[in-house]
Amino acid sequence: MEVHPAVVGLLLLSCFATASYAHNVHLSTLNVSLIVTASATTGQVLKAGVDNLTITWAFNPNLRLSDSNYTTVEAKLCYGPVSQTGRDDRKTDDNLDFDETCPIDITDAPYKRSNNTYTWAIPKNTTSATYFVRVYVVKANKHETAYGQTTDANKTTNLFQIDGIVSEQKESAAWPVIGNSFGYGYAWLLMLILIL
Ligand SMILES: *[C@@H]1O[C@H](CO)[C@@H](O)[C@H](O)[C@H]1NC(C)=O
Ligand SMILES: *[C@@H]1O[C@H](CO)[C@@H](O)[C@H](O)[C@H]1NC(C)=O
Ligand SMILES: *[C@@H]1O[C@H](CO)[C@@H](O)[C@H](O)[C@H]1NC(C)=O
Ligand SMILES: *[C@@H]1O[C@H](CO)[C@@H](O)[C@H](O)[C@H]1NC(C)=O
Ligand SMILES: *[C@@H]1O[C@H](CO)[C@@H](O)[C@H](O)[C@H]1NC(C)=O
Ligand SMILES: *[C@@H]1O[C@H](CO)[C@@H](O)[C@H](O)[C@H]1NC(C)=O
C-alpha cells in the first residue's frame, strides 16, 4: 500500500499537536468573571527597571457565576493590538495553546475572591511596547476557566506603555530571529556588563 508523504506528515503533526498542546482551551468560552485593574493610566509610559505596576483583581459577584472550582490565578502582561501588528510571534489566537498575546508572567497566586493586590517591579528586560494586564483563573486540572483584563473586549481602552532598554525597532530590524528566541535583552545586559 502506498501512503502519500503528506498524509504521514499530517499524522506526525497531529501526534505532535496532541502531545504538546493537550489543553485546547478557547478564550471565547471562558467566563469573564474577574474585575482587574492596573495602576497605569491610559497612555502612561512606565519605565522598565524603574517603575512598579500595581494590579488588583476580584471576582465579580454580579454575574451570579460559581467560583467553586477556581484554584489559582495567573496574572500576565499582554501586548496591545498596536504592538502586535506585523508580529506573528505575538499573534492573538482564540485557542490559548497558540495564543501569543500574553507572554510575560507577572505573578501566580492561589485564588481568593476579593482583596487581591500585587505590586510588580517591571523587569529591566521588558520589551518596549503597548500593553494591558490579563488575569486567568485556573482550575485544579490546570485548565483556564475564567479571566478578567484591564482593557475592554476589543482591547481599545486603558492601554499603557512600557519603555524598556529593548526597543521594538532595534529588536525586529537587527535581530529578526535571534532577538525573538533568546531575548535581545540579554545581549544588551552582556554589553553593559562588558563595558562596566
Ligand atoms: C517600586 O517599589 C519599590 C519597592 O517597594 C520601591 O523601592 C520603589 O521606590 C518603587 N519605585 C517607584 C518608581 O515608585
Ligand atoms: C461559566 O460559569 C458557569 C456558571 O457558573 C459554569 O456553568 C460554566 O461551566 C463556566 N464556564 C467555564 C468555561 O468554566
Ligand atoms: C466543578 O468541577 C466538578 C468536577 O469536575 C464539576 O462536576 C462541576 O460541574 C464544576 N462546577 C462548576 C461550577 O463548573
Ligand atoms: C485586605 O488585605 C489587607 C492586607 O492583607 C488586610 O489588611 C485587609 O483586612 C483585607 N481586607 C479584606 C476585606 O479582606
Ligand atoms: C527577563 O529576564 C527574566 C529572568 O532572567 C526571564 O525569566 C524573562 O523571560 C525575561 N523577560 C523577557 C521579556 O525577556
Ligand atoms: C468590538 O468591535 C466590534 C467590531 O468592530 C464591534 O461590533 C463590537 O461592538 C465591539 N465590542 C465592544 C465590547 O466594544
Side-chain angles (χ1 to χ4, degrees):
M1 190 179 102
E2 243 189 276
V3 183
H4 195 278
V7 175
V8 178
L10 210 65
L11 276 173
L12 280 174
L13 199 72
S14 62
C15 284
F16 180 75
T18 333
S20 7
Y21 303 106
H23 288 335
N24 200 29
V25 174
H26 289 247
L27 186 74
S28 57
T29 66
L30 303 185
N31 288 320
V32 189
S33 62
L34 292 190
I35 299 165
V36 182
T37 70
S39 55
T41 53
T42 302
Q44 188 178 353
V45 182
L46 300 168
K47 280 224 167 297
V50 176
D51 288 327
N52 301 314
L53 184 69
T54 297
I55 62 172
T56 72
W57 63 95
F59 184 63
N60 183 351
N62 300 329
L63 301 180
R64 306 194 173 283
L65 300 170
S66 162
D67 65 352
S68 60
N69 284 353
Y70 293 7
T71 59
T72 54
V73 296
E74 293 173 348
K76 292 178 181 282
L77 187 69
C78 312
Y79 290 114
V82 72
S83 290
Q84 291 178 298
T85 313
R87 294 290 303 249
D88 205 43
D89 58 326
R90 297 178 181 177
K91 71 179 190 325
T92 291
D93 193 310
D94 194 42
N95 184 336
L96 294 180
D97 295 330
F98 304 109
D99 185 48
E100 311 278 3
T101 314
C102 306
I104 299 166
D105 287 328
I106 296 176
T107 188
D108 291 0
Y111 173 73
K112 207 159 52 107
R113 190 169 283 188
S114 62
N115 203 24
N116 301 284
T117 302
Y118 184 79
T119 296
W120 188 50
I122 301 169
K124 213 172 251 173
N125 62 349
T126 307
T127 304
S128 293
T130 297
Y131 293 102
F132 65 92
V133 173
R134 180 180 289 164
V135 179
Y136 287 108
V137 179
V138 179
K139 288 190 289 191
N141 65 2
K142 305 268 190 249
H143 291 199
E144 294 87 351
T145 184
Y147 75 101
Q149 61 189 24
T150 55
T151 187
D152 65 328
N154 285 341
K155 300 184 272 193
T156 58
T157 60
N158 297 321
L159 300 171
F160 56 89
Q161 290 168 49
I162 291 177
D163 180 14
I165 54 169
V166 187
S167 118
E168 210 156 24
Q169 285 74 24
K170 276 180 200 148
E171 185 190 7
S172 50
W175 297 83
V177 178
I178 298 169
N180 291 344
S181 31
F182 298 109
Y184 192 36
Y186 288 119
W188 267 107
L189 285 176
L190 200 66
M191 262 170 68
L192 276 175
I193 290 164
L194 289 176
I195 289 164
L196 291 173

